[in-house]
Amino acid sequence: MAVELTINDIPVSVPEGTTILDAARTINIDIPTLCYLNLHEMKLNNHIASCRVCVVEVEGRRTLAPSCSTPVTPGMVVKTDTPRAIKARRTMVELLLSDHPKSCLTCSKNLDCDLQALASDLGVRNITYEGEESRFAIDKSSKAIVRDPNKCIRCRRCETMCNEVQTVGVYSAVGRGFETVVKTAFDLPQHKTSCTFCGQCLAVCPTGALTELDQVDKVWKALNDPERFVIAETAPAVRVALGEGFGLEPGAIVTGKMVAALKRLGFDRVFDTEFAADLTIVEEATELMDRLKKGGRLPILTSCCPAWVKFFEHQFPDLLDIPSTCKSPHEMFGVIAKKYYADLMGIDPQRITVVSVMPCVAKKYEAARPELGRDPKTPDVDIVITTRELARMIREAGIHFGALPDEDFDQPLGESTGAAVIFGTTGGVIEAALRTAYEWITGRPLARIEFEEFRGMEGIKEAVIDMAGRDFRVAVTHGLGNARKILEKIQAGDSEYDAIEIMACPGGCIGGGGQPYHHGNMEILKARAAAIYREDRNKTLRKSHENPAVRTLYEKYLGEPYGEKAHMLLHTHYIERRKI
Amino acid sequence: MSQSEPGQMTQQAEIPDGGVNRQFALLDEFVASLPYKKENLIAILHRAQEIFGSLPEEVQMHIAYLLDIPAAKVYGVVSFYSFFTMKARGRHVVNVCTGTACFVRGAAKIQLEVEKQLGIKTGETTEDGLFTLESLRCVGACGLAPVLVIDGKVYGKVEVGQVKEILGEYREK
Ligand code: SF4
Ligand code: SF4
Ligand code: SF4
Ligand code: FES
């Protein structure tokens, strides 16, 4: 049923149950918001109405109404721009700022902070009340996330994201009234919780209360040390998002400029994680065939997302034998760089620093996992920086990104196929794996190499593929809440799947916790995904097993796929953890 | 090296003695008797506080485990309601009223004297578990200010010199 009302004297008709905020948006009136966040695609709806920044006047009501949580009623007369409403909003922001640290200039969210933008939009010029600014210790315990509760505005977006979308439940509002803060259980350091380090909480935090652990300085140090041979590797999802950091439209493909920028920053070699993604597919497809042949346990689950790995270690420690044992692509890359490439070039592996540029916060944590390296002092990957951190390095160096020429990756570890590109979006890993597995299992070339059924933002996607007369059941999920549903099915014994791809971040890595902030605009994620598929179509080779550099690597160095040497270098094991 | 891995399953927290074991068993029994568990978090916390006297971290963790809910959620609820407490209180709870009337009549000095006599700060419990010192806002006995309340018994017009003697009565009990 439609509801008729007027907003700022303009008649509007919207479906019953619509909020004033959404009704206003249909006639291009933007009411400012702060705590509110509604991401339909991720099924995230944070509407606790705590900040009251979105208040409007409703005729006949004495008090102002929060538009984000007040549904429209027939004949309602709403005014969004009265002096009273505007003043109230400004006062709310002033109050929030009264005990907020005034350290914008040195905050990593500077110029990317919703609170700051709001203060500017509302013309806050002085803060009348002065409260205490730093009452809480900053949690830097983990290798991935920094938590500064002093900058928390209690919007609880992180809690909704972590509890409802990811179903990990790390955070809770603690205390009462003005004393409330969002904290971990018993204020435990983040690394002692079940946190997966997916970084989705910091992707939606409007302030600098949650940020990634900044490792830019470590990279500069390595680059400026003449003893170090510094190698960059870049994940697929970075090249379709980095441009946003320089004002290019979402979905711009900037692969060539990104390579040029990295070379100017002083990296000795610029390689592609996609090379290792092709390698991952060859290993994983062989592992799958091995399980099929030997009657091993199915379904096989992908293991290239470290947040997903940590999730199942904590939440499903009884299922540790079903995920693939393949390391994630950037970890495979690290080993190959320090063994194969070091041999090839005659460089002492101890001199090599591998820097992964990732859309991901969890990979910072992953790189520090003790089993992923020769010994704790020689990890496979030395430093991980996010897309955002790379953008910052480029700015720090004064490089005019838009004006850079396109340059090519170095070889041989810069070679990749279209199958590797699509790792960057949900459904891509399975699609890539099928392009290879299908040909190997059936012995025939694949007629239709694009698997539309695994594309798009649907939370759980399924399809049955006929392979040499056997029905092969495949599922794709993204977002850990969706993953949980599938794993519970497996636990209960009513899953008939053969293979499942799981990514922690909604949308896959294009929506990773380390990507340029989307500020609630899901169209940005869709544009990045579309760009990934464009980049795939631009490639001549689109199946991982056709990657010539990967073939050479097996011939000259690794031997058989899934063989002894491959096992030693490219596979890992998982650890039972507790749920907290 | 691998011991430093976050959240890794090593051995479960050891339960020190038979007494504590019995307390956990009582709690398990109570939870098992409930047809709905997650829905009854508050009732479970009440029962647990009766059994243990307070809700320390291990007890909250255990409840999170029994109910299969995040510990953060349990902690959030415990911190929200003032009748839940995470720290064990002593056998006797001493309160100094710090309402306006008492304050004007020297409650601060009384508070300091109690702290000195017990060797703890307000909010703490003595090592022998005998006394917990807290502060109250106006008990409505302003005519008797300054006021000291022990286990609900009100002592009025208290002078610094009397504190030792009053506390002494409770040391014996
Ligand atoms: S990083 Fe992911 S798992 Fe960890 S607290 Fe944030 S949303 Fe939860
Ligand atoms: S940490 Fe960030 S997202 Fe979470 S409640 Fe605080 S301000 Fe909101
Ligand atoms: S989905 Fe991608 S970006 Fe997100 S945690 Fe997993 S690997 Fe990282
Ligand atoms: S945005 Fe509506 S109350 Fe915060």
Side-chain angles (χ1 to χ4, degrees):
Chain A
M1 232 187 64
V3 176
E4 318 267 337
L5 70 155
T6 70
I7 302 178
N8 299 353
D9 298 326
I10 304 169
V12 199
S13 171
V14 289
E16 206 180 330
T18 309
T19 60
I20 298 177
L21 176 73
D22 286 335
R25 281 180 182 167
T26 66
I27 51 168
N28 297 317
I29 295 174
D30 256 332
I31 304 167
T33 56
L34 186 57
C35 64
Y36 175 76
L37 186 67
N38 191 352
L39 309 174
H40 298 281
E41 288 85 350
M42 297 189 188
K43 301 209 167 47
L44 176 139
N45 191 358
N46 192 54
H47 52 114
I48 61 155
S50 66
C51 76
R52 304 191 62 87
V53 157
C54 64
V55 288
V56 294
E57 284 207 60
V58 176
E59 208 174 270
R61 288 203 197 186
R62 270 193 316 120
T63 52
L64 296 169
S67 63
C68 72
S69 58
T70 311
V72 295
T73 55
M76 198 180 228
V77 177
V78 178
K79 291 261 161 61
T80 70
D81 55 359
T82 61
R84 185 175 164 222
I86 292 173
K87 183 157 180 270
R89 282 177 206 147
R90 193 183 297 141
T91 308
M92 287 323 295
V93 173
E94 278 178 20
L95 269 174
L96 281 173
L97 290 174
S98 67
D99 62 354
H100 194 89
K102 317 288 183 292
S103 54
C104 291
L105 285 177
T106 50
C107 178
S108 63
K109 266 290 186 68
N110 192 18
L111 299 184
D112 226 341
C113 169
D114 294 348
L115 179 62
Q116 196 184 44
L118 201 57
S120 157
D121 286 353
L122 296 178
V124 174
R125 286 294 171 266
N126 53 47
I127 295 153
T128 333
Y129 323 90
E130 283 296 343
E132 226 186 314
E133 288 177 11
S134 45
R135 290 165 293 163
F136 307 101
I138 299 174
D139 178 6
K140 287 189 181 171
S141 64
S142 80
K143 299 278 188 245
I145 291 179
V146 177
R147 205 160 48 86
D148 181 354
N150 300 299
K151 292 179 181 165
C152 175
I153 56 157
R154 301 174 278 274
C155 69
R156 300 172 74 171
R157 284 181 182 185
C158 55
E159 193 188 337
T160 308
M161 174 57 88
C162 191
N163 290 11
E164 282 163 33
V165 180
Q166 301 298 60
T167 66
V168 180
V170 170
Y171 301 124
S172 172
V174 172
R176 308 176 264 281
F178 281 117
E179 297 289 305
T180 313
V181 232
V182 174
K183 281 190 185 170
T184 57
F186 321 116
D187 217 3
L188 284 174
Q190 195 101 2
H191 84 108
K192 291 209 171 145
T193 68
S194 307
C195 177
T196 69
F197 302 116
C198 70
Q200 286 303 310
C201 51
L202 60 93
V204 295
C205 176
T207 71
L210 295 171
T211 51
E212 75 264 42
L213 182 75
D214 189 323
Q215 290 184 309
V216 166
D217 287 348
K218 273 176 95 175
V219 181
W220 283 128
K221 203 169 152 222
L223 288 172
N224 285 303
D225 181 344
E227 284 303 303
R228 309 296 311 164
F229 188 86
V230 191
I231 296 176
E233 55 156 326
T234 60
V238 177
R239 67 205 67 189
V240 297
L242 180 63
E244 291 164 36
F246 302 93
L248 302 181
E249 79 281 6
I253 301 175
V254 296
T255 319
K257 290 188 194 313
M258 172 184 75
V259 174
L262 287 164
K263 290 189 175 168
R264 275 164 218 217
L265 291 176
F267 285 92
D268 295 296
R269 290 291 181 278
V270 180
F271 288 137
D272 202 348
T273 313
E274 287 184 6
F275 166 85
D278 279 330
L279 181 61
T280 306
I281 289 298
V282 170
E283 282 298 313
E284 210 164 282
T286 316
E287 184 183 357
L288 168 65
M289 292 183 38
D290 186 73
R291 287 201 202 179
L292 287 172
K293 201 164 76 207
K294 296 193 183 137
R297 189 161 175 197
L298 291 173
I300 188 169
L301 313 179
T302 56
S303 58
C304 39
C305 168
W308 148 238
V309 166
K310 189 145 186 284
F311 180 77
F312 72 66
E313 288 179 329
H314 283 286
Q315 311 282 336
F316 298 91
D318 52 328
L319 295 179
L320 293 191
D321 59 331
I322 56 172
S324 158
T325 54
C326 285
K327 290 183 183 175
S328 68
H330 88 119
E331 290 290 337
M332 285 200 185
F333 178 92
V335 181
I336 296 300
K338 288 188 178 178
K339 302 262 185 200
Y340 172 67
Y341 188 70
D343 276 6
L344 213 62
M345 301 295 292
I347 309 170
D348 173 6
Q350 300 285 355
R351 277 187 54 219
I352 297 180
T353 301
V354 174
V355 179
S356 297
V357 184
M358 298 283 129
C360 184
V361 174
K363 291 196 171 105
K364 286 176 181 278
Y365 147 79
E366 183 192 28
R369 284 181 69 127
E371 73 278 15
L372 295 176
R374 205 172 65 191
D375 54 68
K377 284 222 175 86
T378 325
D380 295 342
V381 170
D382 299 272
I383 311 172
V384 176
I385 58 169
T386 61
T387 312
R388 289 191 293 263
E389 286 171 279
L390 174 60
R392 222 187 76 210
M393 286 187 72
I394 296 171
R395 280 195 295 271
E396 278 179 25
I399 295 169
H400 188 171
F401 189 76
L404 285 170
D406 285 350
E407 286 180 28
D408 288 326
F409 285 108
D410 292 313
Q411 296 302 347
L413 307 186
E415 186 78 66
S416 70
T417 72
V421 182
I422 57 177
F423 262 64
T425 178
T426 164
V429 177
I430 271 297
E431 183 169 337
L434 285 171
R435 288 181 190 177
T436 290
Y438 184 92
E439 300 206 342
W440 284 356
I441 292 173
T442 65
R444 281 183 289 129
L446 190 58
R448 181 185 62 103
I449 71 161
E450 295 186 359
F451 289 80
E452 287 296 334
E453 50 273 58
F454 301 127
R455 300 184 176 189
M457 291 291 278
E458 194 57 45
I460 300 181
K461 297 167 272 187
E462 298 168 298
V464 182
I465 315 281
D466 171 59
M467 277 209 228
R470 182 190 191 281
D471 275 351
F472 203 73
R473 288 169 203 279
V474 180
V476 169
T477 77
H478 52 125
L480 292 170
N482 293 323
R484 181 185 292 279
K485 285 187 201 144
I486 295 249
L487 270 114
E488 280 171 353
K489 261 180 143 177
I490 298 176
Q491 227 171 14
D494 29 277
S495 133
E496 293 186 337
Y497 300 115
D498 296 300
I500 307 172
E501 173 198 303
I502 302 175
M503 292 291 159
C505 295
C509 304
I510 49 148
Q515 294 279 58
Y517 295 109
H518 54 64
H519 295 284
N521 182 356
M522 292 294 98
E523 294 308 312
I524 294 179
L525 262 51
K526 291 178 194 162
R528 290 176 192 161
I532 288 268
Y533 290 119
R534 274 203 319 278
E535 181 91 329
D536 168 33
R537 283 195 298 276
N538 288 339
K539 295 264 192 176
T540 337
L541 297 177
R542 299 177 66 187
K543 298 168 196 157
S544 296
H545 57 286
E546 291 175 352
N547 182 327
V550 170
R551 287 180 173 210
T552 313
L553 171 66
Y554 279 107
E555 278 159 24
K556 295 239 166 85
Y557 188 73
L558 287 173
E560 284 298 297
Y562 204 54
E564 203 188 313
K565 195 156 185 184
H567 247 285
M568 223 172 62
L569 299 179
L570 309 178
H571 291 257
T572 183
H573 60 273
Y574 306 113
I575 295 163
E576 232 176 294
R577 298 174 202 273
R578 274 204 298 160
K579 207 194 289 194
I580 289 164
Chain B
M1 42 176 264
S2 60
Q3 282 96 314
S4 65
E5 264 291 273
Q8 193 172 333
M9 223 189 260
T10 46
Q11 74 223 93
Q12 292 278 337
E14 284 209 21
I15 296 168
D17 66 61
V20 176
N21 259 334
R22 202 180 52 85
Q23 288 173 318
F24 276 103
L26 275 174
L27 178 60
D28 290 358
E29 210 176 284
F30 176 73
V31 172
S33 75
L34 296 170
Y36 298 102
K37 303 186 187 349
K38 291 183 195 186
E39 295 75 2
N40 275 317
L41 177 58
I42 301 211
I44 293 168
L45 288 168
H46 268 297
R47 184 76 187 103
Q49 186 158 302
E50 270 170 36
I51 297 171
F52 292 89
S54 65
L55 296 168
E57 205 174 302
E58 313 82 76
V59 174
Q60 292 185 46
M61 281 279 211
H62 185 70
I63 291 172
Y65 168 79
L66 286 179
L67 272 54
D68 196 22
I69 56 176
K73 182 166 181 183
V74 179
Y75 180 59
V77 170
V78 169
S79 74
F80 185 79
Y81 294 100
S82 53
F83 42 77
F84 291 133
T85 167
M86 279 187 67
K87 278 196 215 125
R89 290 158 113 206
R91 207 153 83 223
H92 305 293
V93 180
V94 183
N95 269 294
V96 179
C97 176
T98 53
T100 316
C102 289
F103 186 79
V104 171
R105 304 219 178 157
K109 276 190 206 142
I110 303 294
Q111 193 169 5
L112 272 178
E113 178 63 16
V114 180
E115 288 183 351
K116 195 176 128 202
Q117 289 295 333
L118 297 178
I120 53 172
K121 293 252 171 283
T122 305
E124 291 176 351
T125 300
T126 53
E127 277 198 5
D128 57 8
L130 212 49
F131 292 102
T132 296
L133 176 58
E134 293 177 349
S135 69
L136 271 180
R137 287 266 170 209
C138 194
V139 290
C142 304
L144 299 174
V147 163
L148 187 67
V149 186
I150 304 184
D151 297 344
K153 183 172 176 199
V154 178
Y155 295 82
K157 302 204 171 161
V158 179
E159 284 168 25
V160 173
Q162 297 174 316
V163 169
K164 189 174 178 186
E165 193 191 318
I166 297 174
L167 289 173
E169 292 173 29
Y170 289 85
R171 289 200 196 272
E172 270 106 69
K173 280 190 198 167

